[in-house]
Amino acid sequence: MVPKKHKSKRLTINHQKKIHKRSKEKHRKDKRDGKRSPHGRKLKKDPGIPNLLPFKDKILREVEDHREQIKEERQRQKEARSQLHDKNRTLAPAAAPKTIADLARDAQKRDAAFAEEHGSDSDSDADETTEGAVTGRRDNSKRAYYREFQKVVQHADVILE
């Protein structure tokens, strides 16, 4: 059997430059990711409180109390979030209305409850303009301006001419 000749390692300049460019880009990307990564930088360890400090035990108690307050605050926030989530979850009752009349009655009840909760004493025109402002579709006509002007005059205590 005849021994095989080794393959030549010659490359075209274009191919060499392509390889160099790719390796350069890879190194640059790795360096950038290393800067962004939180694992790359380690925080220096806190040396603590020296034993010779006169009121070391008092300082340690204050630090511990502060940690406990932070834990309690996080726990309260977590409970508040879960209560809000549960409140939103219970909007759909178990016995859902099946007819259109039941749906209409249910909608009216919820509308009345919402009106009581938020103190809705404005006109339906005001609701339309606010809804338009929320959705981004406002009526910028003279009529809309006049409606808004009437509301301001109606709620004003003193009118100057």
Side-chain angles (χ1 to χ4, degrees):
M1 198 164 149
V2 180
K4 292 183 181 179
K5 292 185 178 180
H6 67 281
K7 188 176 178 183
S8 173
K9 295 184 180 180
R10 286 185 175 184
L11 300 172
T12 62
I13 296 295
N14 192 21
H15 193 61
Q16 284 177 350
K17 286 186 177 181
K18 191 188 293 184
I19 292 171
H20 181 68
K21 186 173 85 171
R22 285 183 182 162
S23 71
K24 196 174 181 183
E25 186 67 28
K26 170 82 169 112
H27 290 307
R28 199 185 78 153
K29 191 175 181 181
D30 289 344
K31 188 189 280 187
R32 184 183 64 219
D33 290 342
K35 287 179 185 175
R36 289 182 182 171
S37 168
H39 303 295
R41 288 184 228 110
K42 289 191 175 181
L43 297 174
K44 290 187 177 181
K45 187 176 177 183
D46 184 23
I49 302 169
N51 286 331
L52 296 176
L53 204 65
F55 301 106
K56 179 180 178 179
D57 54 347
K58 182 180 177 184
I59 294 172
L60 287 173
R61 269 190 259 119
E62 288 176 0
V63 169
E64 190 62 33
D65 291 341
H66 183 66
R67 284 184 188 154
E68 288 296 323
Q69 287 176 353
I70 291 174
K71 275 186 182 179
E72 290 172 1
E73 183 63 31
R74 284 184 185 156
Q75 186 66 26
R76 272 190 246 118
Q77 288 175 351
K78 185 177 178 181
E79 289 172 4
R81 280 193 303 267
S82 65
Q83 287 175 354
L84 181 65
H85 183 70
D86 291 342
K87 179 184 173 187
N88 291 338
R89 210 178 229 185
T90 58
L91 287 178
K98 296 183 172 126
T99 64
I100 294 177
D102 291 340
L103 285 172
R105 269 189 258 122
D106 187 39
Q108 288 175 349
K109 286 179 188 175
R110 284 188 281 139
D111 186 34
F114 182 81
E116 287 177 15
E117 186 177 318
H118 294 292
S120 174
D121 60 341
S122 60
D123 298 331
S124 63
D125 293 339
D127 293 338
E128 290 174 8
T129 54
T130 12
E131 183 178 313
V134 169
T135 58
R137 290 177 276 146
R138 289 186 291 184
D139 185 14
N140 290 330
S141 64
K142 290 181 182 178
R143 193 175 75 210
Y145 174 77
Y146 186 67
R147 271 193 225 134
E148 193 67 29
F149 178 73
Q150 282 181 334
K151 281 191 273 181
V152 171
V153 169
Q154 190 177 24
H155 291 292
D157 293 333
V158 177
I159 300 173
L160 300 175
E161 291 186 28

